[in-house]
Amino acid sequence: VSSSPGDTELKPRQEQPAAEDAFISIQAFPALLDLPQDLEVSKVSCGSRHTAVVTRGGELYTWGWGKYGQLGHGDDASSDQPRRVEYLVAEGLQAEDVVCGPWTTYVCMLE
C-alpha cells in the first residue's frame, strides 16, 4: 500500500506499562470518558501520554502512561481509568489548575 506525504491513518497504539496484567491504550483521537456523576470538571490538560483534570471541588484526577510518576500516585503505574490523587486529599490541599508537559504534571494548589 502506498501513501502520499500527509496521508495519515489514526490507529490506537498499545503501551505495556509496569503492571504485568494491564495495557494502556494510547489514542491519537478524542475518546469519551466516564467520571463519577457528581464530578464537574473545571480544568483539563493533556501531556504526550497522560491526562489530568481538576474538578470544581478542587480534586485532581489523572490517567494514562505513568512511567515517570507524572500521574502523582506515588508510583510509576499506568492507568486507563481516572484516579483521584489521594496525596492532595490527605494533605488538605485543593487543586486550582493543572498543566501537563510531555512527561510531567504541574499543579497549582490552594491550602
Side-chain angles (χ1 to χ4, degrees), residues 54-96:
V54 173
T55 67
R56 293 202 190 282
E59 295 178 317
L60 178 67
Y61 286 79
T62 61
W63 65 97
W65 189 56
K67 182 175 181 178
Y68 299 106
Q70 65 269 40
L71 300 182
H73 300 293
D75 57 25
D76 62 357
S78 297
S79 174
D80 269 340
Q81 297 300 314
R83 292 174 46 204
R84 183 171 70 172
V85 178
E86 297 298 335
Y87 175 82
L88 301 182
V89 176
E91 294 295 317
L93 300 170
Q94 288 189 322
E96 183 176 332

Side-chain angles (χ1 to χ4, degrees), residues 3-111:
S3 63
S4 61
D7 284 351
T8 58
E9 185 177 342
L10 300 177
K11 294 181 180 178
R13 296 184 316 184
Q14 295 288 326
E15 286 287 331
Q16 177 70 37
E20 293 177 19
D21 295 342
F23 283 97
I24 302 303
S25 176
I26 307 298
Q27 298 180 355
F29 50 88
L32 290 176
L33 177 70
D34 288 326
L35 291 173
Q37 283 185 331
D38 58 339
L39 294 182
E40 292 183 32
V41 173
S42 61
K43 304 282 182 172
V44 63
S45 184
C46 299
S48 60
R49 297 179 181 183
H50 71 291
T51 303
V53 298
V54 173
T55 67
R56 293 202 190 282
E59 295 178 317
L60 178 67
Y61 286 79
T62 61
W63 65 97
W65 189 56
K67 182 175 181 178
Y68 299 106
Q70 65 269 40
L71 300 182
H73 300 293
D75 57 25
D76 62 357
S78 297
S79 174
D80 269 340
Q81 297 300 314
R83 292 174 46 204
R84 183 171 70 172
V85 178
E86 297 298 335
Y87 175 82
L88 301 182
V89 176
E91 294 295 317
L93 300 170
Q94 288 189 322
E96 183 176 332
D97 200 0
V98 64
V99 176
C100 295
W103 297 338
T104 56
T105 303
Y106 302 95
V107 183
C108 178
M109 295 177 283
L110 301 172
E111 291 188 74

